[in-house]
């Protein structure tokens, strides 16, 4: 146990969904993870890995014709890494092999089309990609003081962002990449209320002592588009922070949402209050079963045992382990920034596409 209590946005989400799942999985709680991955691959993770290479600040000045194949190689490497982790102790079925190969082809095509589209709409310069940083959590009742737990541990929040860019007017924007699988794009209000984007924005502002102009939601549809030249739809909608602009084709959508200072600050207060709830010694622990939560829950087997009054320990011992890796996976592209107790940078960089 470290001196500080470290919370992470994924733990807040788990806490909100189901306290039992949070208790089993959060690092400051029982800290269990599955020994074997539940799925062969996650297309979104592999696309994120490719975009981390594409928007790597150190290569932004490079000819895009050189960077594109590196980004595609990053995607392929991620797909292989995930498949290899899954097959460490088991074989893939013929259907799984076919599914992996089809998604490898789908992802490669998505990226090639995205690079064409993005060359027209990327009117910014990336300054951080896949960065992880820590902030001391401010006390909502006294923002000049940091929060501490009841037993005196300073509360720290560990956040990872996709991308931060600076535009032609020298304004900072936080970019969120999203893979969309359904036929419809999410409602604009879903993007406005995007809890992850707001949490990351609030933390980034605190960590880097700079204001964000807003959030950019960069959505990619995981599908092969209809043949022919894509139609472009553009719209502008007034909002609290300014004019929201949106540019979309069948395959890609980019939405710029200017954010009011108050909106981000209020979200930060909610995050801090929630973490105070999570660390309250009087916290009540109960499960929150619903098929929305349970169908994808990593802790369904031990949870069922607990609910049925069966000892869950044999299940945890056989299929789970205490987490073995840190928050930041060494060898993956990105950087780690520390702000506690003073600003310093400990970066782990790896040449994109290396070591395949
Ligand atoms: S299976 Fe459902 S109720 Fe059980 S821990 Fe998971 S989300 Fe909670």
């Amino acid at each position: 146990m470290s001196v500080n209590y470290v919370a992470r946005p994924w733990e807040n989400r788990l806490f909100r969904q189901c306290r039992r799942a949070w208790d089993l999985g959060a690092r400051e709680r029982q800290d269990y993870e599955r020994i074997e991955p539940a799925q062969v691959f996650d297309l979104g993770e592999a696309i994120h890995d490719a975009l981390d290479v594409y928007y790597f600040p150190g290569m932004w000045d490079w000819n895009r014709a050189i960077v594109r194949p590196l980004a595609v190689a990053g995607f392929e490497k991620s797909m292989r890494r995930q498949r290899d982790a899954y097959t460490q102790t088991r074989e893939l079925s013929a259907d799984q092999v076919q599914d992996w190969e089809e998604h490898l082809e789908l992802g490669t095509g998505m990226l090639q089309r995205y690079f064409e589209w993005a060359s027209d709409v990327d009117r910014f310069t990336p300054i951080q990609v896949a960065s992880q940083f820590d902030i001391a959590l401010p006390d909502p009742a006294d923002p000049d003081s940091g929060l501490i737990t009841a037993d005196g541990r300073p509360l720290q929040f560990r956040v990872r962002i996709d991308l931060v860019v600076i535009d032609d007017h020298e304004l900072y924007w936080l970019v969120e990449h999203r893979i969309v699988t359904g036929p419809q794009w999410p409602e604009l209000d879903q993007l406005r209320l995007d809890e992850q984007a707001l949490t990351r924005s609030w933390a980034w502002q605190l960590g880097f002592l700079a204001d964000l102009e807003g959030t950019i939601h960069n959505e990619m549809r995981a599908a092969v588009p209809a043949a022919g030249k894509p139609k472009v739809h553009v719209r502008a909608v007034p909002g609290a922070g300014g004019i929201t602009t949106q540019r979309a084709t069948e395959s890609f959508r980019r939405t710029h949402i200017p954010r009011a200072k108050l909106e981000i600050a209020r979200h930060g207060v909610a995050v801090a209050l929630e973490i105070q709830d999570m660390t309250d010694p009087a916290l009540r622990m109960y499960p929150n079963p619903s098929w929305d939560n349970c169908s994808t829950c990593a802790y369904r087997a031990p949870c069922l045992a607990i609910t049925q009054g069966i000892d869950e320990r044999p299940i945890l011992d056989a299929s789970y382990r205490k987490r073995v890796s840190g928050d930041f996976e060494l060898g993956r592209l990105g950087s780690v920034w520390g702000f506690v107790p003073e600003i310093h940078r400990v970066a782990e960089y790896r040449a994109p596409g290396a070591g395949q």
Side-chain angles (χ1 to χ4, degrees), residues 6 33 55 90 183 208-209 221 232 283 301 311 314 350:
V6 184
E33 66 175 358
Y55 289 111
R90 51 200 157 163
F208 292 91
L209 302 177
R221 196 189 300 286
V232 181
L283 175 75
D311 184 5
R350 187 180 198 194

Side-chain angles (χ1 to χ4, degrees), residues 18 20-21 287-289 293-294 297 299-300 303:
C18 174
R20 179 179 286 169
N288 183 21
N293 292 340
C294 305
C297 178
Y299 305 100
R300 195 168 357 142
C303 170

Side-chain angles (χ1 to χ4, degrees), residues 14 17-22 24 286-304 306-307:
L14 206 51
Q17 279 172 14
C18 174
R19 293 182 181 189
R20 179 179 286 169
W22 167 76
L24 285 162
Y286 49 83
N288 183 21
S290 76
W291 196 237
D292 266 359
N293 292 340
C294 305
S295 57
T296 54
C297 178
Y299 305 100
R300 195 168 357 142
C303 170
L304 270 172
I306 297 168
T307 300

Side-chain angles (χ1 to χ4, degrees), residues 151-226:
D151 57 358
R153 298 172 68 198
L155 273 164
Q156 203 171 316
F157 199 39
R158 181 159 297 163
V159 179
R160 187 179 165 97
I161 53 151
D162 288 345
L163 177 64
V164 171
V165 298
I166 186 164
D167 69 12
D168 294 342
H169 307 287
E170 307 215 331
L171 299 171
Y172 296 111
W173 295 80
L174 182 122
V175 183
E176 291 276 315
H177 304 307
R178 290 278 197 284
I179 308 302
V180 175
T181 50
Q184 302 294 331
W185 293 116
E187 294 285 323
L188 182 55
D189 275 356
Q190 193 173 335
L191 304 184
R192 287 185 175 129
L193 289 164
D194 186 328
E195 167 277 320
Q196 177 169 289
L198 285 165
T199 298
R200 289 173 168 180
S201 297
W202 169 71
W204 189 88
Q205 291 193 154
L206 273 184
F208 292 91
L209 302 177
D211 286 338
L212 286 166
E213 181 66 9
T215 53
I216 299 175
H217 302 257
N218 187 38
E219 296 166 291
M220 303 172 69
R221 196 189 300 286
V224 178

